Amino acid sequence: MDPHHPQYLIGDCLIHIFTFLTEDDLIIASHVCKHWHETADAPWLWRRLCLQRWTFCNLAVLGGEHGNLSWKRYFLRRCHLEMNMTTGRSGGYTCKSLRGHTGRVVGLVYLQGNSAQHPDLRNSRSTVCSASTDGTVRAWNIQNGELLWCSPVQSPLTEIVSDEQHDVVITADSTGLVKTWQSQTGQEMASFSTASPHCTLLQYNINNNWFLTVGTTQGTLCTLADSALTKKSSMMVCDTFKVNILLVSPDKKWIAAGTKENDDLSPKVIYTDSLTSPPEDEDPLYQSVPVTGCQAAVFIPTQPARLAIIHKERSNNKALTVFDVSIKKTKYKSEIQVQQVESSPLTLNTRSSPILLEAKDSNCLVLAADEELWVYSLKGALLASFKEHVMPISSICLDSFRVVTASQDLSLRVLTWKKDRDNGLTLESRYHLLGGSHTMSRGFTHVACDYTSIVASVEGKNGKDVLKAYYFTH
């Protein structure tokens, strides 16, 4: 006890007691008296609550005691934002229609987003870029619905990806022309012709070096480097069949490439160095994965090079097989090792709809096909399933906070992650967002999200697609 104020507990003792309180209890305790108010507002207590809840916090936005945010205000504002995103109630978000394209939207990418791991609660401007068959790339400010820039018209676009690290947007058009654009201004930076009517684009950075690997309809991979799109290598991966599976591992040592168009072909894993820095007179170093009929694939984000593949079996049923990829180097040669970790049958009663596959962590896969969404463990155990859409799911977007599904029924379904005592990490269905009227539209085709917003494209019956932007306020 403090001998000068025997009615008060010493501050450190009171802070220790307050560590057992929830945030609601802390706020109640702060109204008891001035001494309790000062103790309950201690930055250490609220910093502890922040790091317990989110693990990662954007410390750069906190400022000093007289700045815009304290630990307490950061905690309360982020909780309020997450409540809006979790409930989806009117007033917790704004919805804007972004109009301007005169063709179909073929893809959406965030140029400047609000990271789920390090959200900036003071400055949450989000910029999204869309590509269309009208031959233009357009950049939008989501909060006010403003068109920031529009590229000159070219041949119909077929693909778009972005590299936030270097402020670059990459597109491919129906003639096989790949272009890079400066994301802030829309200025064209470079171009490269592949002569492929449809390209699959994969951008990645290795030791601050910029690379782009392009898959073509002829079954080849072409790897380009730096802003000038300098050709580094070319290799055949699936002769005469379109490369539509193209992934890079989290450790950037491996490229996985394959096709969904031939059930007799196996996907390949390729040593990235042999594409980006190919030795003279040597073929790229690769290994076929011992499965055929690949339907979908994804690298597990929390592992260096763990690849999950959904493929067809001889009975035409589907299976989930997981592999670890590594390289064994000896004095005279290097060998790629593709080691099976898990394999199990999947009870997916899908029709002709493609399988959409994403990975959350070391133990959780999210699949979508037809009208259903499933959560599987890497061992093939079904953790959760949802059938809330009445028409096929066309696109899914996944981050560390939620999963958003877009459907031809003109709705977005929002699900958030939760810890289940028996199944571990799984999903909980929350609410849906509507995209308009079926008299004018056919349904959602693409969806993307960051921590504070969701953007989706709506296919218009008049051939002019519209973007719907949902911004969650705090």
Side-chain angles (χ1 to χ4, degrees):
M1 301 293 290
D2 184 342
H4 302 291
H5 302 282
Q7 71 274 29
Y8 293 154
L9 285 170
I10 294 175
D12 287 347
C13 296
L14 193 57
I15 284 179
H16 176 71
I17 293 170
F18 281 2
T19 62
F20 296 95
L21 302 183
T22 65
E23 61 271 17
D24 292 335
D25 293 334
L26 269 181
I27 293 172
I28 293 171
S30 69
H31 292 92
V32 171
C33 64
K34 181 180 179 181
H35 180 57
W36 279 34
H37 176 79
E38 292 173 351
T39 305
D41 274 5
W44 183 87
L45 286 172
W46 291 96
R47 177 182 181 274
R48 180 174 175 271
L49 285 173
C50 285
L51 297 180
Q52 278 181 339
R53 178 157 180 165
W54 294 295
T55 306
F56 296 101
C57 296
N58 190 355
L59 307 184
V61 306
L62 290 174
E65 286 301 310
H66 302 291
N68 291 330
L69 285 174
S70 65
W71 280 106
K72 180 180 179 180
R73 289 193 65 194
Y74 180 93
F75 183 92
L76 296 178
R77 287 179 66 177
R78 192 165 173 184
C79 283
H80 179 69
L81 173 60
E82 287 193 357
M83 182 190 70
N84 287 346
M85 291 192 292
T86 301
T87 59
R89 285 197 292 261
S90 178
Y93 66 89
T94 60
C95 177
K96 293 187 179 294
S97 296
L98 311 180
R99 304 179 187 275
H101 281 302
T102 58
R104 300 292 181 218
V105 170
V106 299
L108 303 168
V109 290
Y110 273 85
L111 305 184
Q112 179 184 14
N114 204 345
S115 164
Q117 288 190 337
H118 302 279
D120 187 339
L121 301 185
R122 294 183 302 179
N123 178 21
S124 57
R125 291 192 303 269
S126 295
T127 304
V128 160
C129 208
S130 54
S132 170
T133 58
D134 65 14
T136 66
V137 188
R138 294 172 184 260
W140 312 85
N141 179 305
I142 291 175
Q143 279 71 16
N144 58 26
E146 176 188 3
L147 177 65
L148 301 176
W149 56 261
C150 176
S151 72
V153 177
Q154 62 181 90
S155 297
L157 297 176
T158 59
E159 186 92 1
I160 182 170
V161 296
S162 69
D163 172 25
E164 292 186 18
Q165 184 175 333
H166 292 90
D167 290 330
V168 174
V169 181
I170 309 105
T171 60
D173 69 17
S174 59
T175 70
L177 188 63
V178 176
K179 287 187 177 183
T180 53
W181 312 84
Q182 211 287 328
S183 67
Q184 299 299 318
T185 63
Q187 181 179 357
E188 181 181 329
M189 300 168 63
S191 64
F192 180 90
S193 179
T194 66
S196 172
H198 192 285
C199 296
T200 303
L201 305 178
L202 176 68
Q203 193 282 322
Y204 49 96
N205 301 297
I206 302 175
N207 299 325
N208 293 320
N209 295 314
W210 191 96
F211 297 101
L212 178 72
T213 295
V214 183
T216 72
T217 51
Q218 295 83 28
T220 61
L221 289 187
C222 180
T223 297
L224 312 172
D226 57 60
S227 58
L229 296 181
T230 306
K231 186 175 180 180
K232 303 297 287 187
S233 66
S234 181
M235 73 170 288
M236 178 65 67
V237 291
C238 40
D239 191 11
T240 71
F241 290 97
K242 175 182 175 182
V243 177
N244 47 23
I245 294 174
L246 194 55
L247 311 162
V248 65
S249 63
D251 63 7
K252 305 299 189 291
K253 290 183 178 179
W254 305 100
I255 299 291
T259 183
K260 304 175 189 176
E261 297 183 343
N262 188 305
D263 291 345
D264 296 325
L265 294 179
S266 299
K268 294 178 174 65
V269 286
I270 308 151
Y271 193 45
T272 309
D273 279 357
S274 65
L275 296 178
T276 59
S277 304
E280 290 187 14
D281 302 323
E282 287 187 25
D283 293 331
L285 187 61
Y286 71 90
Q287 181 68 266
S288 294
V289 182
V291 295
T292 57
C294 183
Q295 303 287 289
V298 68
F299 277 108
I300 309 304
T302 53
Q303 299 293 318
R306 178 163 287 182
L307 180 65
I309 296 178
I310 296 175
H311 57 96
K312 289 184 179 179
E313 295 184 307
R314 290 182 180 178
S315 59
N316 215 31
N317 292 328
K318 295 178 178 64
L320 167 67
T321 306
V322 181
F323 301 93
D324 277 342
V325 185
S326 60
I327 190 166
K328 182 180 180 181
K329 294 184 178 182
T330 64
K331 184 177 181 180
Y332 300 104
K333 65 177 181 178
S334 298
E335 292 183 349
I336 298 174
Q337 296 183 326
V338 180
Q339 183 178 0
Q340 181 176 308
V341 178
E342 301 284 352
S343 187
S344 55
L346 292 180
T347 54
L348 299 179
N349 298 316
T350 61
R351 300 189 295 273
S352 58
S353 176
I355 296 174
L356 307 174
L357 176 65
E358 296 286 348
K360 172 64 173 72
D361 59 14
S362 298
N363 248 339
C364 195
L365 295 172
V366 178
L367 286 70
D370 297 327
E371 299 88 13
E372 293 191 66
L373 184 78
W374 301 273
V375 183
Y376 279 92
S377 74
L378 291 192
K379 295 181 181 292
L382 180 62
L383 305 180
S385 64
F386 306 89
K387 192 174 182 180
E388 299 173 329
H389 289 292
V390 296
M391 295 179 70
I393 295 171
S394 52
S395 179
I396 63 174
C397 182
L398 178 154
D399 63 19
S400 61
F401 181 71
R402 62 191 164 183
V403 172
V404 182
T405 60
S407 169
Q408 296 171 15
D409 64 15
L410 209 51
S411 75
L412 304 176
R413 297 281 170 171
V414 180
L415 308 94
T416 56
W417 294 104
K418 71 169 185 176
K419 290 285 187 180
D420 185 273
R421 186 177 64 181
D422 299 322
N423 296 326
L425 194 65
T426 184
L427 285 172
E428 182 176 7
S429 180
R430 292 295 188 176
Y431 57 94
H432 67 275
L433 301 167
L434 298 177
S437 167
H438 274 289
T439 60
M440 301 292 293
S441 310
R442 288 194 175 92
F444 281 112
T445 55
H446 299 85
V447 67
C449 64
D450 72 351
Y451 187 64
T452 57
S453 63
I454 300 171
V455 181
S457 56
V458 178
E459 183 180 359
K461 288 186 176 181
N462 61 357
K464 300 178 181 180
D465 288 4
V466 175
L467 302 186
K468 292 288 185 177
Y470 305 85
Y471 170 61
F472 293 84
T473 55
H474 55 276

